[in-house]
């Protein structure tokens, strides 16, 4: 995500403005974590101050992308409404929060669902990270 702060915009803090510009992708607290991790640049340089006031012409860039989807999940059974999978050991059932850098069953499942939240899309029950086994997932 990249934007240039305009002259007509009200003075505001970096974390508020990035959250606002993200159109629901990030909360202000998530933006704060991104800033702390050095993933927000202002004018090409890492910015560590959440409260930094932006000036007209400042270029803001957020370096974050969703985890890469893996094809490690074996589909055992599928209908229009449900999906039965074999979750491999080491994979989370769902993310620990919005800002998680690793793939989960919920991330893998999200593109296969209809009208569900990406955080826990279709997760009916979970298995611990270290546990492999069968999971039943909802598709809608």
């Amino acid at each position: 995500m990249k934007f240039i702060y305009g002259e007509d915009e009200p003075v505001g803090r970096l974390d508020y403005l990035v959250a606002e510009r993200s159109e629901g992708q990030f909360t202000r607290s998530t933006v704060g974590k991104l800033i702390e991790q050095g993933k927000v640049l202002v004018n090409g340089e890492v910015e560590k101050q959440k409260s930094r006031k932006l000036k007209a012409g400042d270029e803001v860039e957020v370096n974050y992308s969703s985890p890469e989807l893996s094809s490690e999940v074996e589909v055992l059974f599928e209908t229009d409404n449900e999906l039965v999978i074999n979750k491999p050991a080491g994979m989370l059932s769902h993310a620990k929060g919005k800002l998680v850098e690793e793939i989960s069953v919920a991330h893998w499942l999200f593109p296969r669902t209809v009208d569900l939240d990406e955080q826990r899309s279709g997760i009916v029950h979970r298995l611990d990270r270290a546990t492999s086994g069968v999971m039943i997932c909802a598709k809608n």
Side-chain angles (χ1 to χ4, degrees), residues 81-98:
N81 299 311
E82 62 208 0
L83 192 62
V84 179
I85 61 166
N86 185 17
K87 182 191 92 59
M91 180 182 268
L92 290 170
S93 292
H94 57 76
K96 296 178 180 180
K98 186 118 178 150

Side-chain angles (χ1 to χ4, degrees), residues 32-78:
K33 291 175 187 174
L34 289 169
I35 292 169
E36 289 170 5
Q37 294 174 2
K39 295 183 177 185
V40 177
L41 307 177
V42 177
N43 300 324
E45 295 188 19
V46 172
E47 180 57 56
K48 292 286 192 167
Q49 295 294 317
K50 294 184 273 189
S51 61
R52 176 180 174 156
K53 303 285 188 215
L54 293 179
K55 301 181 306 245
D58 281 344
E59 184 177 352
V60 178
E61 182 176 352
V62 179
N63 293 318
Y64 175 79
S65 59
S66 297
E68 290 296 316
L69 297 180
S70 169
S71 59
E72 299 175 28
V73 179
E74 178 187 3
V75 176
L76 302 173
F77 177 78
E78 183 173 9

Side-chain angles (χ1 to χ4, degrees), residues 93-124:
S93 292
H94 57 76
K96 296 178 180 180
K98 186 118 178 150
L99 184 61
V100 174
E101 298 279 338
E102 64 184 292
I103 188 67
S104 68
V105 172
H107 285 115
W108 177 87
L109 185 60
F110 181 66
R112 296 160 178 81
T113 64
V114 177
D115 296 328
L116 296 177
D117 181 313
E118 185 173 7
Q119 288 283 351
R120 296 190 180 183
S121 61
I123 301 299
V124 176

